[in-house]
Amino acid sequence: MTHVQRGNFWRVLAASEGWSRFKRSKLALTGAVIVVFVTLVALVGPFLVVQNPYDLSALQLGDAYKPPIWSEGGTMPFILGTDQQGRDMLSAIVYGSRVSLFIGVAGTLLASALGITLGLISGYYGGRIDALIMRIADIQLSFPSMLIALFLMSVLGRGVANILLSLTLVGWVRYARTVRGETLSVKKSEYIEATRVIGLPDARVLRRHILPNVFASIIVLSTIQVGSFILTEATLSFLGLGVPITRPSLGMLCNDGFSVLYSGLWWVSILPGLYIMIIVFGINLLGDFLRDEMNPRLR
Amino acid sequence: MRTMNETGVERSVGRQGELLLEVRDLRTYFHTFKGVVRAVDGVSFDVRRGEVLAVVGESGGGKSVTGFSVIRLIDDPGRIEGGQILFCGRDLMTLSESEMNRLRGSEIAMIFQDPMTSLNPVYTVGQQLEECFRLHTRMGRAERRRACVEQLRAVGIPNPEARLNNYPHQFSGGMRQRVVIAIALAADPKLIIADEPTTALDVTIQAQILRLMVRLVREQGRSLILVTHDLAVVAESADRVNVMYCGKIVESGDTRAIIDRSAHPYTDGLIRSIPSLEVDRRRLDTIPGIVPNMFELPEGCYFAPRCPRARDLCRVREPEPVEIAPGHAVSCHFPLEKSSSQREEVR
Amino acid sequence: MFQFIAKRLVQLLVVLFAVSLIVFVLTSVMGNPVYLMLRESATPEEVHAVTQALGLDKPLPVQYGIFVKNALSGNFGRSYMYHLSALSLIIERLPATLELVFVAVLLSAVVGIPCGVIAGAYPRSLFSKSVMSLSIAGISMPSFWIGMVMIYFFSLYLGLLPVSGRGEVGVFLGIRTSLATADGWAHILMPSVTLALGNVATIMRLTRAGMQENMKQDYIKFARSKGVSRFRLLFGHALKNTLIPVVTIFGLQLGSLIAFTTITETIFAWPGMGKLLIDAIHSADRPIVAAYILFVAVLFVFINFVVDILYVFIDPRIDLR
C-alpha cells in the first residue's frame, strides 16, 4: 500500500512521471482546460450573461428569432441569437449547463456511493450476498444502460430527482464490479490478513485499507461516468423523459429547438448540443489520460 | 552452392568457407524519452558459409539487438543508425522493405526465444508453416502440404499429418520450438539467426533442441548466428564466438581459443561463472557488480568499473580491438596472459 | 457443446424471469390506463367495467400470473392506442429497425475496423492521432445532436437528402426492404450514420488498442522474419487476434444500437419499433412498453448466445467444456 505523506503530496505529484507526461500530452491538457473552463462558466456564468432565462418577464417577444451576431440580422447583446420566445441562447446555455453538470456530477457521486458499498460488501464477505449482487449486475449488464434509464424514466416520470435515481440504478454496476475485483485481490494480500489477525473491526479494515487501494480505479471510472451521465441525461431530456421544462438542461434546450430546426433556426437546437459535446469531449480526454496513467488494466 | 559444404558436418570446415555475411560498424540505437541507448555500437564481424557463430554476453549487452539488426527487424524507438550489412555481397541497408521481405524467410530466417509466444495462437501449425512455402516457393497446394508434412517430420514431430491441423496451444514447449525451427528452415535459408533458442525451454530438453537445430543447420551447409548467454551451449555447438558487452564486441575468436585462452577479463569472468567446465572448483566465481546503466556509460573501457585488473588508463581511454593471435581479437589494454597458472595445463 | 447450450438456456430463463417481474411491477405503477381509454366524463360504472375487462381489479400476483401466461403465448394485450395486439405491432415495425441497425453495423465494421487496424499499427502517425481525437469526439457527441446537424446541413442547407421517414420499399431476395430502392437508401443514410457514429468510434478505439497490443507480440515479429508482407501482417496475423475482444464488444454494442434506435427513429421519424416505444411511453401504452422490453430482452440474450458461439470459431483456445 502506498502511503502518501500529506505535506509532500503536491511536491510528490509535481515530481512524478505522470505529471510530466500530463504536461507533455496535448490531449490531456486540452481536456483539463475544457473542464476548468466549463466549470468556471457554470459557477460564475450566471453573473455575466444578459438575462435570467428562467425569468419569463425578462423575455421580450420582439427579440425572438434573432440569429447569432455573426449571421445577417444578428444584434447585440444576443451573441448566440435568441429562440422563438426571445430567450437569449447564450444565457440559456450557461444556465442549462449548470443543470447538466449538476446531474452528471451528482449522479456519479450517488452511483459510486451505491456501487462502492455493494462492491465492498460483495468482495469482502463473499458467499450468498456476493452471488446475489453479482447476478443482478450480470443481468443488468446484458441490457444497454440507455434502455434501462429510458424505461425507468418512463415509469418514474420527469424530474431531476427521478433522473438521479435512474442514473444511480444504471451506474452502480461498473463500480461494484471494479471494487469487488480489487477487494478480492487486496483481501488475499498479506497485510489485510495481518489486520484481521490483530483484530481490527471489519468496517475499519474496509475503510482504511481497502478503499485507498481501489481509489485510482474509482477516480478513472468516475471521470468517464460524469461524461456518460451528462450524455444520458441529455438524451433522456431530448426525448422528453428527463428534466422538467421549467429548468431546461442542455438536452432539453435541444428538444425545444428541434421543432424550429426545420424553419432554419439552427442555432436554437444545435448550439446547446455543441456545448454538450465540448463538455463531454473535455471530460473524456481527461478520463482517457487518467485511465492510461492510473490503471492500464481498465480498458 | 550447397554441394561445396556437403562435408560441413565436420566442425573445422567453417574456417575455410567463403564469406556469407559481413557486418561492418553496425550501430543500432534506441531513442527513448530518457536519452539514447547505444544497444549496438560499432560492431563488425563476419559469418562464413557453414559456420556457427555464437554471440554471448550478459543480458542487455546488445546480443539480441545485433541479431535483429541483421534481418532488419528493429522497431521504434530503435533505429539502425549506420554501418553495412553485406549479405552475399549485397548491402541489406540499401534494400527497400519489400525487397527485404523477399529475403526474410528465404535467405535469412530467425528462431525466437520463447516458443510459447512466437507462434500465432489463432492459426494452425500447418497454416503457419504453409505460409512460408506460399511466400517463397511456387509450389501448388498439394505440394505445399506434402512439404509441410516433410518439414515437421524432419524436426522430429511424431504423426505430422495429423499435427498440421493442431493449434500451437496443443503442443508442448519443446514441440513448439521444433515447429518454430521447422518454419524457420522451411524456405531453405542460407543464414539462420537464433535468439536464445533454448532459454525458455525445460532444462531437460534444451540440449535435445539445440542439437536438433545445429544438426539441421550443418547438414545443409547453412550458417547460424546463435545468440545466447549460455557458454555451455557455445562450447558444444559454435565454431566461433563474439563476446559482447554494452553494445560492443570485446573479444572474438575460435571457440576453443576463447574458452581455453580467453584474453578479456570479462570473457574470463563469464567462463569462471559456469559450473562445469573442465576445472573443478569449490565455489563458483561471479563477475562483481552489475551491467552499467546504458544511459550513463562510464568513460574509457565500459568494463573497467567491474574489472579486477583495471588501472587508471582503463578509466580514461577506450581500448581498440587488437589481434593477439590469428583470428583472435580482444579489446583490452591489459589482456590476460596465457601463462596464468590454470591455463598452463591446456597447452 | 450440448451442455453449453443447456447452460445458456437456463441463463436465458433466469434473465427473462427477472425482466418479466421488473417489467410487470414497473408497468403497473405507470399510470392507470383506464382513464386513458375513456372519455373524461365516464361514469364510475364504465370505469369499473373497463378495469374488470383489463383484469386490473385482481390482486397483483394473480395479475402477474395472467401476464406471464399471456406473454408466453405472445399475448401482451392490445395496445390502448392502436387497439391491435402489442406484439404484432412490434413485429410489424421490426424490419424497419433491423435494416437501420444492419446498415449501422455494416458501417461500424467497414469504417471502424480498418481505421483501428491502421491506427493501431502506426500509433505515432498523424493518422492514428487524428483517429484517436476524432473517436473521442465521436463518443462525446449526443447522437440526437449529430442527427440534427446532419438534417440541417444535408437536408435543409444543401437539400441533398430527405429530412425524415422511410423511403420506398422494394423486394430483394424475397425480403421487403427499403434497402432495395435508391429512394430507400437516400432515406436510410443519415439515420444509420447517426446511429453508427458512437459505435464506429468504440470499435475503432478497441481495434486500435488490440492491434497495438498484438503488434508487440513475438508472433508478429516471427511472422515478419518469415517475410510476411505488411498488409498480411496487419489484416491476417494481427487482426484475427484483435477480433476476439472486438467481437464481444460488437455483441454488446448491437444491444445498445437497438436501444439507440429509439432516439434515431424519433429524430428522423423512422417508422421502427424504437419510435413505437417512445410514442407508447408518452401515451402510457403499457402493453407495448412491456412487450417491447421483453422482446428486446429475448433478442439480447440471443445475441449474446451467438457471440459466444462466434468466439469459438475465432479463438481456437476456447474449449466449450
Side-chain angles (χ1 to χ4, degrees):
Chain A
M1 188 166 58
T2 51
H3 275 299
V4 179
Q5 297 277 304
R6 260 162 216 269
N8 278 340
F9 179 78
W10 293 108
R11 226 178 310 149
V12 169
L13 179 71
S16 70
E17 282 197 22
W19 179 250
S20 73
R21 273 199 291 277
F22 175 73
K23 282 192 294 186
R24 254 200 316 269
S25 162
K26 274 182 220 136
L27 289 181
L29 276 178
T30 314
V33 168
I34 292 176
V35 169
V36 169
F37 170 79
V38 161
T39 314
L40 279 179
V41 165
L43 292 177
V44 302
F47 302 108
L48 304 176
V49 293
V50 294
Q51 49 169 243
N52 176 356
Y54 302 147
D55 181 7
L56 291 177
S57 61
L59 307 183
Q60 305 263 297
L61 270 181
D63 292 333
Y65 304 113
K66 288 245 167 39
I69 49 168
W70 61 84
S71 300
E72 213 182 319
T75 52
M76 283 302 272
F78 308 116
I79 300 174
L80 297 182
T82 57
D83 71 359
Q84 59 273 35
Q85 295 169 288
R87 186 186 286 154
D88 174 43
M89 284 315 296
L90 182 62
S91 313
I93 288 173
V94 166
Y95 275 80
S97 76
R98 289 163 65 97
V99 180
S100 294
L101 282 170
F102 170 75
I103 291 174
V105 173
T108 302
L109 289 177
L110 290 170
S112 60
L114 179 65
I116 291 167
T117 312
L118 290 178
L120 282 176
I121 292 173
S122 197
Y124 194 74
Y125 295 108
R128 279 222 201 115
I129 298 185
D130 178 37
L132 178 70
I133 294 175
M134 285 302 122
R135 233 330 64 100
I136 295 174
D138 280 346
I139 291 179
Q140 199 176 321
L141 273 184
S142 62
F143 291 87
S145 54
M146 189 61 226
L147 199 65
I148 301 174
L150 201 72
F151 183 54
L152 285 172
M153 286 311 288
S154 69
V155 174
L156 297 168
R158 285 182 179 193
V160 173
N162 288 346
I163 290 192
L164 289 178
L165 178 60
S166 300
L167 293 181
T168 309
L169 291 177
V170 161
W172 69 274
V173 179
R174 297 197 59 189
Y175 286 98
R177 285 200 145 194
T178 311
V179 170
R180 174 180 176 270
E182 301 252 354
T183 307
L184 282 179
S185 69
V186 170
K187 208 172 84 176
K188 279 195 208 114
S189 64
E190 281 168 21
Y191 72 88
I192 292 291
E193 284 293 308
T195 58
R196 301 191 106 178
V197 170
I198 61 174
L200 288 180
D202 284 355
R204 193 182 149 87
V205 172
L206 284 174
R207 201 180 63 237
R208 291 293 298 266
H209 296 274
I210 294 184
L211 268 190
N213 280 285
V214 298
F215 191 65
S217 315
I218 291 172
I219 291 289
V220 175
L221 260 183
S222 298
T223 313
I224 297 165
Q225 195 70 278
V226 171
S228 104
F229 275 178
I230 290 177
L231 282 183
T232 308
E233 180 277 325
T235 306
L236 290 172
S237 295
F238 179 79
L239 289 173
L241 294 166
V243 295
I245 316 173
T246 45
R247 292 221 147 204
S249 67
L250 292 171
M252 191 72 219
L253 290 174
C254 290
N255 178 2
D256 233 18
F258 186 46
S259 52
V260 293
L261 179 68
Y262 298 111
S263 3
L265 276 73
W266 58 271
W267 58 92
V268 186
S269 52
I270 287 181
L271 290 179
L274 181 66
Y275 195 55
I276 300 177
M277 194 199 108
I278 291 172
I279 295 174
V280 180
F281 185 58
I283 293 172
N284 280 342
L285 283 179
L286 208 57
D288 246 33
F289 174 79
L290 288 176
R291 180 179 56 190
D292 293 346
E293 202 55 41
M294 295 173 117
N295 196 342
R297 276 172 301 159
L298 272 179
R299 265 184 192 276
Chain B
M1 292 238 157
R2 179 147 304 118
T3 48
M4 66 167 282
N5 273 353
E6 212 79 296
T7 54
V9 186
E10 235 176 279
R11 230 172 203 229
S12 54
V13 145
R15 289 255 61 176
Q16 287 86 10
E18 60 175 296
L19 281 179
L20 179 68
L21 177 77
E22 293 169 73
V23 175
R24 290 291 168 265
D25 195 27
L26 178 70
R27 276 169 290 127
T28 306
Y29 297 171
F30 285 80
H31 301 264
T32 68
F33 280 132
K34 285 186 189 162
V36 178
V37 172
R38 298 178 176 172
V40 174
D41 197 12
V43 161
S44 302
F45 62 91
D46 298 333
V47 179
R48 294 183 176 78
R49 284 186 195 275
E51 180 180 59
V52 176
L53 170 73
V55 182
V56 298
E58 286 164 286
S59 39
K63 308 167 298 204
S64 295
V65 179
T66 306
F68 281 108
S69 297
V70 170
I71 198 168
R72 279 186 47 198
L73 280 181
I74 298 291
D75 287 321
D76 265 357
R79 212 163 62 209
I80 302 180
E81 298 286 325
Q84 285 179 308
I85 302 167
L86 296 167
F87 180 79
C88 296
R90 270 209 294 182
D91 188 354
L92 300 187
M93 292 303 295
T94 62
L95 297 188
S96 71
E97 190 56 26
S98 66
E99 285 172 315
M100 211 43 223
N101 262 339
R102 238 167 290 146
L103 212 95
R104 289 184 189 124
S106 66
E107 302 278 325
I108 308 178
M110 272 199 91
I111 294 168
F112 282 53
Q113 175 168 1
D114 189 353
M116 293 303 183
T117 58
S118 49
L119 292 172
N120 196 328
V122 296
Y123 287 102
T124 64
V125 161
Q127 285 169 323
Q128 294 183 59
L129 186 52
E130 195 205 12
E131 191 172 28
C132 274
F133 294 115
R134 216 174 41 226
L135 285 167
H136 301 297
T137 67
R138 288 160 185 270
M139 292 182 196
R141 213 184 155 78
E143 229 179 323
R144 286 203 299 264
R145 191 172 166 84
R146 232 173 300 132
C148 288
V149 171
E150 213 37 61
Q151 197 63 22
L152 282 191
R153 186 168 291 135
V155 296
I157 289 180
N159 196 8
E161 286 89 355
R163 291 301 247 166
L164 275 182
N165 300 323
N166 285 7
Y167 287 93
H169 71 275
Q170 292 163 309
F171 287 77
S172 69
M175 283 295 157
R176 279 199 221 185
Q177 197 64 314
R178 285 172 195 265
V179 171
V180 169
I181 292 170
I183 291 174
L185 299 182
D188 203 12
K190 294 192 183 74
L191 174 66
I192 292 111
I193 302 165
D195 182 22
E196 306 261 11
T198 57
T199 312
L201 300 178
D202 278 353
V203 182
T204 46
I205 53 169
Q206 283 187 355
Q208 208 184 355
I209 296 290
L210 183 75
R211 281 183 199 132
L212 169 79
M213 187 180 72
V214 172
R215 178 172 59 81
L216 288 173
V217 165
R218 290 197 189 272
E219 268 176 4
Q220 302 290 323
R222 294 164 175 141
S223 308
L224 174 68
I225 298 178
L226 179 60
V227 175
T228 180
H229 65 270
D230 187 347
L231 274 175
V233 165
V234 173
E236 181 180 322
S237 44
D239 298 315
R240 283 193 311 120
V241 181
N242 286 346
V243 182
M244 287 192 75
Y245 187 74
C246 293
K248 291 184 186 289
I249 296 180
V250 295
E251 185 169 6
S252 63
D254 288 350
T255 308
R256 273 335 312 168
I258 295 285
I259 289 182
D260 298 338
R261 298 182 293 279
S262 55
H264 199 284
Y266 179 62
T267 317
D268 189 51
L270 285 180
I271 292 168
R272 282 167 184 278
S273 49
I274 327 174
S276 68
L277 273 173
E278 285 147 23
V279 198
D280 177 40
R281 264 177 277 121
R282 287 264 157 67
R283 231 179 61 200
L284 228 51
D285 288 351
T286 54
I287 305 176
I290 51 160
V291 180
N293 180 349
M294 290 298 277
F295 293 108
E296 297 160 27
L297 286 171
E299 218 170 298
C301 175
Y302 294 157
F303 189 59
R306 303 172 70 187
C307 183
R309 300 162 58 87
R311 300 185 210 165
D312 291 344
L313 176 68
C314 301
R315 299 188 186 92
V316 186
R317 191 143 44 97
E318 199 186 315
E320 294 291 319
V322 179
E323 195 160 23
I324 53 167
H328 187 173
V330 62
S331 307
C332 183
H333 291 303
F334 309 104
L336 294 160
E337 300 298 323
K338 286 148 211 128
S339 57
S340 88
S341 59
Q342 284 180 357
R343 280 144 211 283
E344 284 293 71
E345 53 209 67
V346 180
R347 288 207 127 184
Chain C
M1 190 73 188
F2 175 76
Q3 241 182 340
F4 173 76
I5 293 176
K7 217 174 127 190
R8 274 285 151 164
L9 281 176
V10 173
Q11 236 169 316
L12 171 79
L13 289 178
V14 173
V15 170
L16 286 184
F17 172 71
V19 172
S20 70
L21 199 63
I22 294 166
V23 166
F24 171 75
V25 170
L26 291 184
T27 45
S28 11
V29 184
M30 195 175 112
N32 191 336
V34 174
Y35 296 100
L36 287 164
M37 301 181 73
L38 294 169
R39 305 177 313 276
E40 281 181 31
S41 58
T43 60
E45 287 76 39
E46 280 175 306
V47 172
H48 184 73
V50 175
T51 306
Q52 248 181 351
L54 290 174
L56 295 176
D57 54 339
K58 300 198 174 68
L60 279 179
V62 178
Q63 281 192 44
Y64 176 68
I66 297 169
F67 173 76
V68 169
K69 195 177 137 253
N70 288 337
L72 284 178
S73 53
N75 178 9
F76 290 89
R78 283 170 182 277
S79 154
Y80 306 148
M81 301 284 299
Y82 302 91
H83 301 290
L84 288 166
S85 148
L87 192 63
S88 66
L89 272 169
I90 286 171
I91 304 275
E92 187 191 304
R93 302 283 194 107
L94 183 65
T97 297
L98 281 189
E99 65 191 30
L100 199 57
V101 170
F102 173 75
V103 177
V105 165
L106 214 63
L107 273 174
S108 347
V110 169
V111 179
I113 291 178
C115 282
V117 166
I118 292 167
Y122 308 97
R124 287 148 178 267
S125 66
L126 186 68
F127 177 77
S128 175
K129 283 177 181 156
S130 330
V131 160
M132 270 318 262
S133 311
L134 280 179
S135 74
I136 298 180
I139 54 169
S140 307
M141 283 185 247
S143 78
F144 62 83
W145 183 70
I146 304 159
M148 291 193 306
V149 171
M150 284 205 296
I151 289 177
Y152 180 74
F153 189 71
F154 291 109
S155 304
L156 302 172
Y157 190 77
L158 294 178
L160 282 177
L161 294 169
V163 178
S164 64
R166 191 181 178 205
E168 260 175 62
V169 174
V171 176
F172 178 71
L173 296 176
I175 305 165
R176 287 177 54 78
T177 166
S178 67
L179 296 181
T181 65
D183 181 56
W185 275 97
H187 278 85
I188 205 170
L189 212 54
M190 290 199 301
S192 56
V193 169
T194 303
L195 189 58
L197 214 66
N199 204 27
V200 172
T202 312
I203 297 289
M204 209 145 69
R205 287 161 64 89
L206 205 76
T207 311
R208 178 180 176 276
M211 285 296 288
Q212 249 182 305
E213 194 56 42
N214 278 312
M215 289 303 283
K216 281 188 217 139
Q217 301 295 320
D218 275 355
Y219 58 80
I220 291 298
K221 257 198 165 167
F222 186 56
R224 281 171 70 190
S225 82
K226 287 198 294 191
V228 175
S229 71
R230 198 75 194 163
F231 183 83
R232 282 253 335 136
L233 203 64
L234 296 182
F235 290 92
H237 287 262
L239 182 60
K240 203 172 171 196
N241 281 280
T242 306
L243 275 182
I244 294 166
V246 172
V247 163
T248 330
I249 298 294
F250 225 101
L252 284 175
Q253 291 290 103
L254 204 56
S256 74
L257 275 185
I258 291 170
F260 270 89
T261 54
T262 52
I263 296 131
T264 316
E265 290 179 3
T266 305
I267 304 170
F268 291 97
W270 188 266
M273 56 182 207
K275 188 171 185 329
L276 182 71
L277 173 73
I278 297 296
D279 291 346
I281 288 174
H282 282 302
S283 48
D285 200 341
R286 262 200 230 174
I288 288 189
V289 176
Y292 179 91
I293 300 285
L294 278 173
F295 182 78
V296 165
V298 175
L299 204 60
F300 289 170
V301 177
F302 176 72
I303 291 169
N304 285 343
F305 179 70
V306 171
V307 167
D308 281 341
I309 299 279
L310 263 182
Y311 232 70
V312 182
F313 282 104
I314 302 182
D315 192 346
R317 285 163 299 185
I318 290 182
D319 195 345
L320 281 180
R321 282 146 292 153

